[in-house]
Amino acid sequence: MAAKDDPVVIKKYANRRLYNTGTSTYVTLEDLAEMVKKGEEFSVQDAKTGEDITHSVLTQIIFELENKDGQNMLPIPFLRQLIAFYGDQMQMIVPSFLEQSMTAFAKEQERFREQMKTAMGASPMDVMKLMPMKALEEQTRRNMEMFQNAMRMFTAFPQGTPAAPAAPDKEKKDVSDKADDLQELKEQVAAMQRKIDSMG
């Protein structure tokens, strides 16, 4: 028997039906999306092979949500940049960077929700004192700044066609430029980590 804190196992059958072993009921992708929103942990296994297919099912949920009217969250430039990183030498650092960025963003949103909850317990006049429009604008500005910093990380090494072979006298400058770019990337990652640590 699974421990209480173990993720619920969802079995996916050949007919694409999903079975929640925790509740002994069939579920849909929408049900799984709701579980994610509630913070319920689950893993999805192929019913026949036992293979863990959680990643592909979560990706499928995002695909379904992105196709609903008015629910697009992933901008086209971001999707293009993300696709360009597949097979690229930077691919291995993208997942951890995205995870850190989303964790920092979620912490910031949680802090904002707590402020709103505190404000909502007060009278309408107190709400205006506690959460003036400037505070809401500041929160939005910080969220956008964090997102823009994340996007800058993705464009630090622009994708493109290979350049013509460099002349011998330019090779040293190119190596120096690449070292500078790498150092700048390391500094940005360190700055993001410090920001995440300070939010904890």
Side-chain angles (χ1 to χ4, degrees):
M1 187 171 174
K4 190 176 179 183
D5 293 335
D6 285 351
V8 174
V9 174
I10 309 293
K11 292 191 178 283
K12 186 173 184 182
Y13 290 91
N15 60 5
R16 296 186 180 180
R17 293 192 78 183
L18 299 161
Y19 184 77
N20 184 330
T21 61
T23 59
S24 300
T25 57
Y26 285 99
V27 292
T28 63
L29 289 176
E30 284 183 4
D31 295 327
L32 295 185
E34 283 304 311
M35 288 174 72
V36 170
K37 290 174 185 178
K38 290 176 185 173
E40 296 175 25
E41 291 288 328
F42 63 84
S43 66
V44 186
Q45 296 177 358
D46 183 292
K48 188 175 181 181
T49 65
E51 178 189 359
D52 188 326
I53 54 171
T54 309
H55 185 275
S56 64
V57 170
L58 291 175
T59 306
Q60 189 178 356
I61 290 170
I62 291 171
F63 177 78
E64 295 287 330
L65 291 173
E66 282 289 309
N67 281 307
K68 284 189 177 179
D69 289 337
Q71 287 209 165
N72 303 96
M73 279 204 308
L74 303 175
I76 289 173
F78 173 81
L79 291 171
R80 289 184 193 279
Q81 288 171 334
L82 194 58
I83 290 167
F85 277 111
Y86 282 93
D88 185 85
Q89 60 188 5
M90 300 300 288
Q91 180 178 340
M92 63 183 182
I93 70 163
V94 172
S96 61
F97 173 76
L98 285 175
E99 188 174 352
Q100 287 179 9
S101 298
M102 289 304 290
T103 300
F105 186 78
K107 283 182 181 176
E108 195 68 16
Q109 289 302 100
E110 189 56 38
R111 198 169 70 80
F112 179 66
R113 284 192 190 100
E114 286 302 316
Q115 289 174 343
M116 288 298 290
K117 198 187 295 179
T118 302
M120 291 304 160
S123 70
M125 288 304 288
D126 289 337
V127 170
M128 291 308 290
K129 289 177 193 168
L130 288 170
M131 293 296 292
M133 211 52 186
K134 281 197 179 261
L136 293 173
E137 288 170 3
E138 175 64 17
Q139 179 67 34
T140 304
R141 185 194 63 74
R142 280 204 310 247
N143 288 346
M144 283 306 295
E145 186 179 282
M146 192 179 301
F147 184 72
Q148 285 167 351
N149 285 339
M151 292 303 283
R152 267 190 227 109
M153 283 282 289
F154 282 112
T155 56
F157 296 94
Q159 305 292 315
T161 55
D169 59 336
K170 290 178 66 180
E171 283 179 8
K172 284 184 182 176
K173 185 182 184 311
D174 290 344
V175 169
S176 173
D177 287 347
K178 285 180 184 172
D180 290 344
D181 286 345
L182 186 57
Q183 184 59 36
E184 184 181 339
L185 179 63
K186 286 179 181 176
E187 287 168 7
Q188 288 174 346
V189 170
M192 284 293 289
Q193 187 62 51
R194 285 194 298 275
K195 190 165 188 174
I196 290 167
D197 291 343
S198 70
M199 289 179 191

